[in-house]
Amino acid sequence: MVHPYLFFVELFGVIGLGDFAHHYVHVIYTWVVMIFLIVLGVLAARTVQLIPTKMQNVAEVLVSEVENFMVTVTGEEGRMFLPYALTLFIFILVSNMVHLMPGFFPPTVSLNTTAALALCTFFLTHYIGIKWHGSHYYKHFIGPVWWMAPLILPIELVGHFARVLSLSFRLFGNMLGKELTLMILFALAGMYLAPIPIMVLFMFSKLVQAFVFFLLSLMYFAGAMEEAH
């Protein structure tokens, strides 16, 4: 649900783009999250030092731990996907959390946003498969025995396209459900009297949803790199 007052929607209204902003709220706030992350990345890169500061040490440890986790899922080859996978996780996490700021709308509440993210993972998965196996990637879709191909191929195709629905609807459904629950709590208890434990639980759930999307993407990448059997 759209909050009655959204800062950037009102801002676009001031410059004469109010209709666009009201119809595509998720696009506006996707841009906001993207700009925030780009600025954050530029500022972080400018402060990198040979002798790291405490904040740089923390960032390096976090990136290293994520990279090591990826290796456990995809193998050593998975290191090359760290930029995409980590960006995906951070973008979803920040998009999930921005509703905590007054006047902000979480982009992941829109199915358009979650479907776009799912499609990125879908196409990258098959790009990885083709890059890794070349023309032999088709073996992932026909099964181990050639005469079973007419049966296996439709099942595999449905399964691969279902990944897009699974990724997009899981994130969208969980986010929308939590937003509706919060709106009900705020309506009943007020903005400042809504139960804090539930808010903390929802924040943890938003972190989990970002991690699940991240983890499933890694599993799809690993499956694309495996030998067909």
Side-chain angles (χ1 to χ4, degrees):
M1 293 294 180
V2 179
H3 194 278
Y5 175 77
L6 294 172
F7 176 78
F8 285 95
V9 172
E10 297 295 329
L11 180 62
F12 270 69
V14 171
I15 62 177
L17 296 174
D19 289 340
F20 173 83
H22 278 91
H23 284 91
Y24 302 101
V25 178
H26 63 286
V27 175
I28 302 301
Y29 282 88
T30 296
W31 292 346
V32 171
V33 173
M34 290 168 60
I35 293 171
F36 169 75
L37 293 179
I38 290 171
V39 171
L40 187 64
V42 170
L43 293 177
R46 290 177 60 185
T47 58
V48 172
Q49 302 177 14
L50 185 61
I51 301 177
T53 61
K54 292 181 180 179
M55 289 300 296
Q56 185 176 334
N57 271 325
V58 171
E60 290 177 354
V61 168
L62 289 175
V63 172
S64 177
E65 289 300 317
V66 172
E67 185 176 11
N68 291 335
F69 175 77
M70 286 184 60
V71 170
T72 63
V73 177
T74 63
E76 288 294 329
E77 301 85 357
R79 294 184 190 276
M80 69 179 72
F81 313 125
L82 177 64
Y84 171 81
L86 189 55
T87 301
L88 182 70
F89 173 74
I90 295 174
F91 175 81
I92 294 175
L93 180 60
V94 174
S95 296
N96 289 353
M97 294 294 186
V98 294
H99 85 291
L100 298 175
M101 301 177 64
F104 277 66
F105 176 83
T108 44
V109 171
S110 170
L111 183 59
N112 292 316
T113 303
T114 59
L117 296 173
L119 285 171
C120 288
T121 293
F122 174 81
F123 286 116
L124 182 57
T125 298
H126 295 296
Y127 169 78
I128 292 169
I130 294 171
K131 182 178 180 180
W132 210 256
H133 302 287
S135 59
H136 295 288
Y137 182 54
Y138 76 92
K139 294 180 180 179
H140 281 71
F141 299 90
I142 63 172
V145 184
W146 68 267
W147 51 267
M148 292 186 65
L151 175 63
I152 299 299
L153 180 61
I155 295 175
E156 287 291 334
L157 291 177
V158 170
H160 280 264
F161 282 107
R163 293 177 179 180
V164 178
L165 298 177
S166 173
L167 287 173
S168 56
F169 276 95
R170 178 186 291 107
L171 179 57
F172 162 72
N174 279 280
M175 285 300 301
L176 181 61
K178 292 173 181 62
E179 290 301 312
L180 292 174
T181 304
L182 283 177
M183 288 183 65
I184 294 171
L185 286 174
F186 289 154
L188 294 176
M191 179 67 72
Y192 302 104
L193 297 178
I196 293 178
I198 294 180
M199 290 289 293
V200 174
L201 179 62
F202 280 178
M203 290 176 63
F204 175 74
S205 178
K206 292 173 188 295
L207 171 63
V208 170
Q209 290 304 316
F211 179 76
V212 168
F213 201 109
F214 164 80
L215 179 59
L216 288 175
S217 297
L218 293 185
M219 294 176 64
Y220 297 154
F221 297 160
M225 291 187 292
E226 289 179 352
E227 292 294 333
H229 51 269

